[in-house]
Amino acid sequence: MHGRPRKPSKPEDEAASAAKAQKLRALQSQFLHNHQNNIYTKEAVELSAKLLEINPESYTAWNYRKLAVEHYLSLTHSDSNPESLNSIFQEELTVAENALRQNFKSYGAWYHRKWVLSKGHSSVNLELRLLDKFQKADSRNFHAWNYRRFVAPLMNRSEEDELKYTEDMICNNFSNYSAWHNRSVLLSNLLKKKADGFLLKEKVLPEEYEFVHQALFTDPDDQSGWFYHLWLLDQTVKVDSPLLVSSWPAHGYDLMLLGDSCPSSPFTSFHSDSGTFPLVLYFNQAVEGVNSSTVSVDCELNTIKDLIWKPLSANNSQTAQVWVTQLNFIDVEPKAYPVEVSLGHSQGIISSSGFHYNHSRFAFRVCVQPVENGSAKRLGGDVMLWSDEKFHIYDAHSQESSPVISLDQLSIQNNHETTASEWRTEAIAKEIDHFRELLSLINCKIGKLTLARLLMAHDTMICPSNKTHFKEVLELYGDLMKLEPSHVQYYKDEHSLVLLQQVTSSKESLLNHCFHYRNLTSSHIGNPICLRLNNLSLSRVGSFDKLLWVQMLDLSHNELQSIEGLEAMQLLSCLNLSNNVLCSFTALEPLRSLKSLKVLNISHNEIGAHSIDTTRYLCSSPVSHSAGSEWNPGEIINADTDVKSYWEAYFILKDLNLTQLDIVGNAISDEKFKSFLIKILHALKWLDGERLH
Amino acid sequence: MTTSDLPPYPPIDPTTFDLIIIGTGLPASLISAASSAVGKSVLHLDPNPFYGSHFSSLSVPDLSSFLNSHSATPSNTHDENLTLTTRPLFSDVEISNFAPEILDKHSRKFNLDLSGPRVLFCADKSIDLMLKSGTSQYVEFKSVDASFVGDGDGKLWSVPDSRAAIFKDKTLSLLEKNQLMRFFKLVQGHLSNNESEESENGAKISAEDLESLFVEFLTKMKLPPKIKSIILYAIAMADYDQENMEVRKGLLKTKDGIDRLALYIASVGRFQNALGALIYPIYGQGELAQAFCRRAAVKGCLYVLRMPVISLLKDENSGSYKGVRLASGQDIFSQKLVLDPSFTVPGPLASAPCEQIQDSFQVLSLIDDKVKVARGICITKSSLKPDISNCLVFFPPRSLFPEQVTSIRVLQLSSNLAVCPSGMFVLYFSALCDEVNQGKKLLHAALNALLRLHVSGNAENSSTVRSEDTEHVKPTLLWSALYIQELTKGQFESVSSTPMPDGNLNYNDLLDATEKLFQNMYPNEEFFPETSEPENSEEDAGLTLET
């Protein structure tokens, strides 16, 4: 239990415990003998009870008793006397109870009791009294709470009664994680069932906020209430049915599909050698079931039929937040083709919590330009240099007016829930006021963190809002980094995500980071815009929903350890990740999905510098089963020794058509490794700035 | 009640004792138990037929007659120069019975405290002493369920005295909850740092602050007035207005305030089945004096009740005290004598050679001579709060009328403490005052705020006299006794006397005074030496708490 000092053992205690151990060993060996020989005599079974009373942690003994019960059941089956059946199970309940008296946190004993009750031969009426006893002894005992959740439905105890019980327990002592947690479980069920009095979230949640405030304000140092508050916040913010947050191409977009260097809007033009381009759907949460029957793409071209949708997820699952397919405009008559995408007209796009996507549609136009001959050599023909002097601030005014429109269209506006969610914004605004007040009194880390989360939730809810809180939130995270250095990485990550939201929140702020890349020696490309997010101390990247259009991205001179989520940027052809702290190839896994990537700079990172790479375990590898069909077992066995020693690099890079790679300044980068790279990257023309033959 | 009705006692044997004690009030009983415990031979007499004297719990008729007899001016008829005379320690006794038909039936079923309102803190010295002396086995306690602060309209605000109580409180704002809890934590931090001698987290109240006035410290801690008042009067239980600089009486220093909070905090949760900080003995406060008497008897003290003492005997040569003459006519001799506060020795007695101690004894006189306690006992048929049976109510200074300079305390008890018939409630009121009218005004103000007083001619179930909030009707007053009690200090001479019940809720000051008295009497003896009886081996196990 809590807060009780441990007494040092006295010599006589030690002697006693030695004697006890002696006895226990004798008992144990006798018991094991019985177990191995399947002896289920009365004496043998009683022996196991004795053993369990002394040592409830003896899992073998619990198992033995289950076998013994089954043995007896098989014997009594013929005469089918309910009395004897009852007494068998009653005996088990007694043994379990005695064991729990010895140690009320014994997993085996609680589990055995569950097992007995699940057989359905015993009365459950005494269970609550037993539980009350254990929960009085230690109100936070999560075993007892777990068991309570198991027993309550068996007894037909209503969830409302159980909810009241959590309230009583919290009133007795509100630092009780178990009680708060059970409350969240019960409320979720009641809300889901739309039980009487729990029909409307907007009625229930404000009362819960009020309740948890009592705990948070009385003792902000106690964390249990904060966890419940976080759950409430999630319940408030969470929109049940999945939404499409953005897409590429976006609604109303005029896409110039360039065969050649016609100068055009850098935002809307897309250069494709093959005449294909990706269609990307970006949802607010992971969904499954995106396929040609749930998403129809209508265009006059026959080629756009039976599209194959791919989930962009790291763990190879069939649920993902981002889905992509390739649209094919090869050898078509140069003209404008209207395309209409309609989602969810037949049900099937489902969120992980089981909610369906509501029907929606968007449309764009693809303008296919005439292809001129002799334009095959483009990017990659010349080395791409990331030096600052190559970049020129993008001046929207001097350019044509189209990007201004198109930038506004970059995000889809979700008006679906605005009327329904008035109570949500109201609840969040109220919370913000409360915590501002609390922080005016005391300096409270978790209060600051909560306020930061609330402000961000507020900003995302009233999406096109003029009044954003980015500055305040960034300051809060800045404070937190100083206040609590032990969690600095978490705060830095959050800070990075907020910073990126700020950058992408408006046209003006985004344009500040948009640059023209001008290489004097070439004039070929339709001058794509480079988004430069360098030198921002980013430790994480986010806001990808607003960045689907980006073809050149500079993330150099940050503090990135991972590029999680970058796979959504399907148009990316040039990526600069130099001077970060990426420490392995496995951290680059998102690159595998970026089929257009041509130019990659990962120089001056820490790849190969760390002998132990923890990201390896998160990432699919030849030895992990998650890699599935992508790995041909023969491939690696038959491969030469280089592949074996550099399998991570091989795995990440083998399917990319890189023409230029910079890897200098990493521990792994030696001559041997370079020659390995040249071997596997067939299209590579430049390695570390040197032209290859 | 008169002694003549009773059969005569057999003569007391032996006739010489180390100590004779007259009166079985709590301090006297403590002296008797403590002296017996260190092997003194003690004769403990009481003219009353019950234990407890001014600390006893009595039925309605016994209480009335005790109050009346102790407020009458005694007739000085005896001629001998050392006749023991009684002095009236009660005055202005007003007993009113508004429902004789109900009360007369049950009047013997009450155990009304003469010294009420009185409760014990779980971490009190008196509890420690009871555990240490083994007296706890004779008494059972129950928790006081709640404390409230009252206002002139009779509205009761619960006193958030613990973390759970602050959490549950419905009247404090969120910010007030935060401020109050932070203050408690500061005090707790201060106390635990004091214990460990080393201040780790700096949560220590500075020496300068400790010497300042408690009320100023609370202001410095930015506590809002409402919380300040709760802390001062309902937790630290200050007697006098702490903010009225004209009164300047009984002002608590921060260190005193912290000590009182420490007692409160240590009390909450000392016993697992006690709900809050305060407990009350089943069958009334009189049980405590009786328990110590039983303890003394176990250790060999001889008890004779219903035995008045007529006069003191003087040694003819030295002129000093040598014994007492009982009403039975028997003379008993002892070295020392301790008197009930209601007796005075008129004639001069040669003092024992201990004048220097006499001086030091003045330290005990904490209270101004003028100060009296106004007490009231009321009987009702319903509770102040429908869902609560035993509770305390505090009326801080100025909460009832502007000139109210002292705090009024009210204790409601129910039949589950075996102090009244079931379905009835007993309320005790007390307040310090300088003179009778002021005291009565305080009592009446509190009575009016809490109870529905009988207006002659009004039927009991008159629906017109409802209080404003229709949800709960104020309890109707059935019976009341209001009286003013003198405060006397203990005295140490060759003949010592014990103090009267003070104006506090607990016995701590009385206990200190009694211990001091004992140590003056027997400078070389320990006040209740640690007993080695097995029942006390596990400290708190000795206290029985009914839940």
Side-chain angles (χ1 to χ4, degrees):
Chain A
M1 293 196 282
H2 306 271
R4 303 204 175 170
R6 193 183 278 264
K7 284 182 201 148
S9 64
K10 293 178 206 151
E12 57 261 36
D13 293 344
E14 271 167 38
S17 82
K20 193 181 159 193
Q22 184 74 31
K23 197 179 146 207
L24 191 64
R25 263 195 289 275
L27 211 58
Q28 194 128 14
S29 62
Q30 213 178 335
F31 157 73
L32 284 175
H33 170 80
N34 291 340
H35 184 35
Q36 273 149 15
N37 297 299
N38 300 330
I39 301 171
Y40 300 117
T41 60
K42 198 162 178 282
E43 293 74 34
V45 174
E46 270 168 16
L47 187 91
S48 72
K50 217 161 141 193
L51 175 67
L52 284 168
E53 202 170 321
I54 302 170
N55 177 19
E57 306 307 313
S58 175
Y59 286 81
T60 317
W62 289 118
N63 223 18
Y64 167 81
R65 288 198 73 89
K66 290 187 186 82
L67 291 170
V69 166
E70 267 155 18
H71 171 76
Y72 280 120
L73 286 183
S74 68
L75 292 182
T76 51
H77 224 273
S78 44
D79 53 54
S80 68
N81 177 1
E83 292 270 310
S84 67
L85 210 64
N86 262 346
S87 73
I88 290 172
F89 284 110
Q90 190 50 49
E91 179 59 28
E92 293 310 302
L93 289 178
T94 312
V95 172
E97 188 176 338
N98 288 341
L100 287 173
R101 256 182 238 288
Q102 173 72 21
N103 174 11
F104 59 65
K105 290 194 172 174
S106 163
Y107 283 86
W110 285 110
Y111 182 78
H112 193 69
R113 208 174 172 85
K114 264 191 192 177
W115 179 81
V116 173
L117 285 185
S118 66
K119 293 284 168 186
H121 293 292
S122 324
S123 151
V124 287
N125 296 332
L126 291 174
E127 298 306 292
L128 269 199
R129 216 190 302 159
L130 183 82
L131 271 175
D132 280 343
K133 208 155 59 188
F134 286 120
Q135 287 185 303
K136 199 163 192 181
D138 180 359
S139 60
R140 298 180 255 206
N141 182 356
F142 68 87
H143 298 268
W145 282 95
N146 265 337
Y147 189 66
R148 203 179 171 90
R149 275 193 291 279
F150 165 76
V151 160
L154 283 185
M155 300 186 59
N156 293 322
R157 219 174 118 82
S158 73
E159 282 175 321
E160 285 87 345
D161 285 351
E162 284 294 290
L163 196 69
K164 178 77 183 68
Y165 179 77
T166 64
E167 193 172 324
D168 293 345
M169 293 301 273
I170 290 165
C171 282
N172 279 344
N173 179 4
F174 62 82
S175 38
N176 188 335
Y177 286 95
S178 305
W180 288 112
H181 168 245
N182 206 31
R183 194 170 177 81
S184 70
V185 172
L186 291 164
L187 266 180
S188 305
N189 288 345
L190 287 166
L191 285 169
K192 204 176 246 175
K193 279 198 306 199
K194 300 202 183 297
D196 254 4
F198 298 90
L199 191 62
L200 295 171
K201 258 189 177 180
E202 55 260 56
K203 278 258 157 47
V204 178
L205 293 188
E207 281 170 21
E208 291 303 307
Y209 273 119
E210 181 66 32
F211 187 52
V212 75
H213 284 158
Q214 311 305 316
L216 301 185
F217 278 76
T218 302
D219 192 356
D221 294 340
D222 186 86
Q223 293 177 39
S224 54
W226 291 104
F227 276 76
Y228 189 68
H229 189 266
L230 195 58
W231 177 80
L232 279 179
L233 179 59
D234 184 55
Q235 290 294 307
T236 313
V237 174
K238 201 172 73 186
V239 181
D240 290 334
S241 40
L243 295 171
L244 187 68
V245 186
S246 70
S247 67
W248 197 88
H251 180 63
Y253 210 88
D254 273 334
L255 177 68
M256 305 290 172
L257 196 61
L258 300 175
D260 200 10
S261 55
C262 284
S264 175
S265 158
F267 286 100
T268 54
S269 64
F270 179 67
H271 210 111
S272 171
D273 284 339
S274 55
T276 64
F277 65 89
L279 172 57
V280 185
L281 301 178
Y282 200 109
F283 295 92
N284 67 338
Q285 52 186 301
V287 293
E288 60 178 19
V290 176
N291 53 43
S292 56
S293 65
T294 52
V295 180
S296 70
V297 180
D298 292 325
C299 177
E300 60 186 88
L301 290 173
N302 293 331
T303 49
I304 301 175
K305 281 268 159 61
D306 299 325
L307 295 167
I308 295 161
W309 287 93
K310 263 187 63 189
L312 292 178
S313 66
N315 55 3
N316 243 19
S317 78
Q318 283 306 303
T319 39
Q321 203 179 347
V322 191
W323 289 77
V324 65
T325 191
Q326 297 293 327
L327 296 187
N328 195 337
F329 282 81
I330 301 170
D331 299 332
V332 296
E333 190 190 333
K335 66 168 200 175
Y337 296 91
V339 181
E340 190 173 294
V341 183
S342 164
L343 287 92
H345 52 86
S346 72
Q347 290 209 333
I349 303 178
I350 303 169
S351 74
S352 49
S353 47
F355 288 96
H356 284 271
Y357 181 80
N358 294 321
H359 181 232
S360 77
R361 60 177 63 227
F362 66 94
F364 56 90
R365 231 157 41 126
V366 181
C367 309
V368 179
Q369 306 286 328
V371 181
E372 285 172 22
N373 288 331
S375 61
K377 70 163 174 60
R378 290 187 311 95
L379 205 61
D382 290 301
V383 68
M384 154 103 193
L385 295 170
W386 291 100
S387 50
D388 282 345
E389 66 269 14
K390 297 285 181 192
F391 292 99
H392 303 275
I393 189 86
Y394 180 79
D395 186 357
H397 298 290
S398 71
Q399 306 286 326
E400 68 282 19
S401 56
S402 55
V404 182
I405 303 158
S406 53
L407 250 177
D408 287 340
Q409 293 165 344
L410 288 178
S411 69
I412 289 184
Q413 304 194 348
N414 285 304
N415 297 321
H416 325 313
E417 284 249 1
T418 42
T419 47
S421 67
E422 222 163 84
W423 71 270
R424 297 174 198 268
T425 45
E426 223 168 80
I428 297 292
K430 233 184 231 170
E431 290 306 289
I432 289 172
D433 289 345
H434 274 305
F435 289 107
R436 279 199 211 279
E437 212 172 12
L438 180 67
L439 289 173
S440 72
L441 275 185
I442 51 162
N443 199 7
C444 162
K445 285 176 281 189
I446 184 101
K448 286 190 177 194
L449 180 59
T450 303
L451 181 60
R453 285 172 174 161
L454 284 166
L455 290 170
M456 286 315 289
H458 183 262
D459 283 1
T460 36
M461 269 184 181
I462 41 172
C463 191
S465 109
N466 303 325
K467 197 168 163 276
T468 53
H469 299 95
F470 293 117
K471 193 162 165 273
E472 188 181 355
V473 174
L474 290 173
E475 273 168 16
L476 283 167
Y477 281 120
D479 276 2
L480 284 165
M481 283 187 233
K482 277 183 228 127
L483 278 171
E484 201 176 15
S486 54
H487 291 146
V488 73
Q489 194 57 44
Y490 174 79
Y491 297 133
K492 204 175 251 177
D493 284 357
E494 294 301 304
H495 190 273
S496 306
L497 293 179
V498 175
L499 192 68
L500 286 174
Q501 285 203 37
Q502 186 184 29
V503 166
T504 58
S505 65
S506 71
K507 188 180 69 193
E508 290 76 18
S509 63
L510 193 56
L511 282 176
N512 283 338
H513 293 273
C514 289
F515 290 80
H516 262 303
Y517 175 73
R518 275 200 201 113
N519 197 342
L520 294 174
T521 60
S522 78
S523 57
H524 55 280
I525 319 172
N527 279 353
I529 294 271
C530 181
L531 181 67
R532 299 197 76 195
L533 300 171
N534 53 338
N535 270 316
L536 292 173
S537 303
L538 299 176
S539 63
R540 259 186 88 175
V541 267
S543 298
F544 297 108
D545 54 324
K546 307 266 180 64
L547 302 175
L548 297 179
W549 54 273
V550 175
Q551 296 173 45
M552 290 176 83
L553 178 63
D554 185 358
L555 286 167
S556 63
H557 297 277
N558 281 303
E559 295 161 31
L560 294 176
Q561 287 183 322
S562 120
I563 51 168
E564 197 189 321
L566 200 78
E567 65 271 13
M569 299 174 74
Q570 284 291 310
L571 305 192
L572 216 52
S573 65
C574 303
L575 175 63
N576 187 356
L577 291 168
S578 67
N579 291 289
N580 278 289
V581 288
L582 297 162
C583 58
S584 68
F585 272 101
T586 46
L588 297 173
E589 211 202 347
L591 299 185
R592 294 181 59 229
S593 313
L594 301 180
K595 302 300 181 202
S596 322
L597 195 63
K598 296 275 189 294
V599 176
L600 176 64
N601 187 348
I602 48 174
S603 62
H604 301 287
N605 275 283
E606 295 172 7
I607 300 172
H610 302 272
S611 54
I612 297 166
D613 166 22
T614 48
T615 56
R616 264 171 95 147
Y617 304 107
L618 304 172
C619 177
S620 46
S621 78
V623 284
S624 89
H625 51 83
S626 66
S629 58
E630 285 190 63
W631 278 90
N632 174 5
E635 184 181 16
I636 200 128
I637 292 162
N638 299 330
D640 54 34
T641 47
D642 283 353
V643 174
K644 278 180 192 160
S645 40
Y646 299 126
W647 65 264
E648 293 139 303
Y650 178 73
F651 176 60
I652 301 295
L653 300 174
K654 67 172 168 124
D655 293 329
L656 294 179
N657 282 314
L658 294 182
T659 57
Q660 180 182 335
L661 177 64
D662 292 273
I663 188 134
V664 70
N666 286 288
I668 199 172
S669 160
D670 55 10
E671 284 310 313
K672 189 175 162 221
F673 184 65
K674 281 187 175 175
S675 62
F676 164 74
L677 288 176
I678 294 165
K679 203 160 23 169
I680 62 162
L681 294 167
H682 306 294
L684 199 64
K685 297 217 169 66
W686 298 87
L687 181 59
D688 286 337
E690 283 175 37
R691 189 165 187 122
L692 304 171
H693 304 291
Chain B
M1 281 274 292
T2 48
T3 43
S4 52
D5 302 342
L6 296 153
Y9 276 102
I12 294 166
D13 180 46
T15 53
T16 307
F17 292 86
D18 292 334
L19 170 66
I20 295 174
I21 304 171
I22 300 170
T24 51
L26 184 66
S29 306
L30 280 163
I31 298 276
S32 129
S35 307
S36 308
V38 295
K40 305 291 174 195
S41 63
V42 185
L43 174 65
H44 203 163
L45 306 166
D46 197 315
N48 298 305
F50 49 81
Y51 288 93
S53 194
H54 295 92
F55 292 83
S56 62
S57 303
L58 300 171
S59 67
V60 174
D62 288 352
L63 180 101
S64 309
S65 77
F66 190 91
L67 284 177
N68 286 328
S69 68
H70 283 78
S71 55
T73 331
S75 48
N76 269 333
T77 51
H78 283 281
D79 48 336
E80 280 181 65
N81 57 348
L82 281 179
T83 307
L84 270 187
T85 50
T86 52
R87 53 176 167 175
L89 290 172
F90 295 125
S91 65
D92 302 270
V93 178
E94 285 175 65
I95 297 176
S96 330
N97 192 346
F98 303 103
E101 67 286 357
I102 304 171
L103 267 154
D104 292 354
K105 233 183 341 193
H106 297 291
S107 64
R108 292 257 156 221
K109 291 183 187 159
F110 287 90
N111 288 311
L112 303 178
D113 297 341
L114 273 168
S115 62
R118 216 163 262 282
V119 290
L120 288 88
F121 287 74
C122 290
D124 250 345
K125 282 179 191 157
S126 45
I127 299 286
D128 293 340
L129 193 61
M130 292 181 81
L131 290 167
K132 191 177 163 194
S133 64
T135 317
S136 54
Q137 57 185 310
Y138 308 124
V139 194
E140 284 183 59
F141 292 92
K142 243 185 188 165
S143 282
V144 175
D145 306 322
S147 307
F148 301 98
V149 169
D151 63 16
D153 302 329
K155 278 224 178 67
L156 301 179
W157 313 85
S158 63
V159 174
D161 54 4
S162 66
R163 213 168 94 112
I166 295 172
F167 173 78
K168 274 186 278 192
D169 192 278
K170 298 249 193 306
T171 56
L172 293 175
S173 76
L174 290 173
L175 293 189
E176 286 170 334
K177 288 186 174 199
N178 184 264
Q179 287 167 317
L180 184 56
M181 190 62 210
R182 262 189 304 138
F183 179 72
F184 281 167
K185 277 189 164 181
L186 173 73
V187 173
Q188 264 162 334
H190 173 76
L191 294 170
S192 63
N193 279 343
N194 257 7
E195 247 166 54
S196 62
E197 292 288 321
E198 56 204 76
S199 52
E200 297 150 21
N201 41 17
K204 211 166 174 177
I205 300 163
S206 72
E208 189 189 334
D209 280 337
L210 286 175
E211 286 305 316
S212 69
L213 286 180
F214 193 37
V215 62
E216 282 167 9
F217 179 66
L218 296 181
T219 311
K220 191 176 159 191
M221 292 292 110
K222 300 199 176 80
L223 293 173
K226 189 164 93 187
I227 290 179
K228 265 201 298 200
S229 160
I230 288 172
I231 292 175
L232 285 170
Y233 306 109
I235 296 178
M237 298 185 186
D239 292 316
Y240 287 93
D241 196 337
Q242 303 289 306
E243 284 166 290
N244 184 339
M245 288 307 143
E246 281 166 38
V247 180
R248 294 209 70 88
K249 233 196 246 174
L251 292 181
L252 289 181
K253 280 190 177 173
T254 302
K255 66 173 191 302
D256 306 324
I258 299 293
D259 283 347
R260 291 181 182 206
L261 285 182
L263 174 65
Y264 205 99
I265 290 167
S267 293
V268 176
R270 176 175 182 186
F271 301 112
Q272 267 211 326
N273 41 359
L275 295 171
L278 307 170
I279 51 177
Y280 184 89
I282 296 175
Y283 301 110
Q285 294 290 349
E287 288 296 295
L288 297 184
Q290 211 170 144
F292 278 101
C293 289
R294 282 180 75 173
R295 198 69 208 155
V298 167
K299 297 283 179 185
C301 172
L302 186 63
Y303 275 86
V304 185
L305 296 188
R306 266 184 269 120
M307 181 56 80
V309 171
I310 296 171
S311 59
L312 302 189
L313 305 173
K314 194 156 72 169
D315 188 283
E316 277 164 27
N317 299 326
S318 64
S320 62
Y321 161 82
K322 71 170 181 184
V324 295
R325 175 162 297 161
L326 307 180
S328 63
Q330 195 183 6
D331 287 351
I332 311 278
F333 304 96
S334 71
Q335 289 163 340
K336 292 177 194 292
L337 176 70
V338 173
L339 284 177
D340 194 76
S342 53
F343 295 108
T344 51
V345 186
L349 268 177
S351 0
C354 52
E355 279 156 52
Q356 73 280 22
I357 305 173
Q358 204 173 335
D359 290 337
S360 71
F361 200 69
Q362 294 304 315
V363 181
L364 283 180
S365 49
L366 299 162
I367 331 146
D368 193 325
D369 274 332
K370 275 196 328 194
V371 177
K372 305 168 197 298
V373 194
R375 294 191 197 276
I377 307 173
C378 294
I379 297 173
T380 64
K381 272 199 88 170
S382 57
S383 173
L384 294 173
K385 281 255 172 184
D387 49 342
I388 279 169
S389 37
N390 307 315
C391 64
L392 269 167
V393 180
F394 299 88
F395 289 102
R398 281 174 283 118
S399 64
L400 290 176
F401 53 93
E403 308 83 49
Q404 180 197 351
V405 294
T406 57
S407 172
I408 306 169
R409 301 175 189 127
V410 186
L411 173 64
Q412 175 184 281
L413 301 175
S414 75
S415 60
N416 70 16
L417 287 166
V419 296
C420 58
S422 74
M424 295 207 190
F425 295 86
V426 180
L427 282 83
Y428 296 100
F429 295 75
S430 80
L432 294 182
C433 60
D434 288 337
E435 44 97 24
V436 174
N437 289 338
Q438 186 196 16
K440 284 289 173 74
K441 188 177 177 192
L442 289 163
L443 292 181
H444 282 296
L447 246 70
N448 277 321
L450 291 177
L451 304 175
R452 196 148 61 105
L453 304 184
H454 257 278
V455 187
S456 54
N458 240 349
E460 207 209 313
N461 55 352
S462 64
S463 52
T464 46
V465 204
R466 279 170 181 261
S467 60
E468 288 141 52
D469 50 336
T470 45
E471 58 186 43
H472 182 59
V473 182
K474 287 179 182 178
T476 305
L477 180 62
L478 302 182
W479 180 91
S480 69
L482 308 183
Y483 53 100
I484 306 292
Q485 183 216 298
E486 302 293 324
L487 284 175
T488 70
K489 296 157 253 175
Q491 270 176 357
F492 175 72
E493 280 173 76
S494 59
V495 171
S496 313
S497 68
T498 52
M500 281 293 279
D502 58 19
N504 297 341
L505 274 174
N506 67 3
Y507 291 107
N508 276 6
D509 288 353
L510 282 167
L511 220 66
D512 288 343
T514 309
E515 186 173 353
K516 200 139 201 173
L517 183 58
F518 177 83
Q519 264 148 14
N520 281 323
M521 288 166 58
Y522 298 115
N524 301 318
E525 300 289 355
E526 198 188 331
F527 189 61
F528 291 106
E530 205 71 59
T531 54
S532 52
E533 283 168 57
E535 70 219 20
N536 300 322
S537 55
E538 189 82 343
E539 204 212 26
D540 293 346
L543 193 87
T544 319
L545 260 170
E546 281 219 343
T547 44

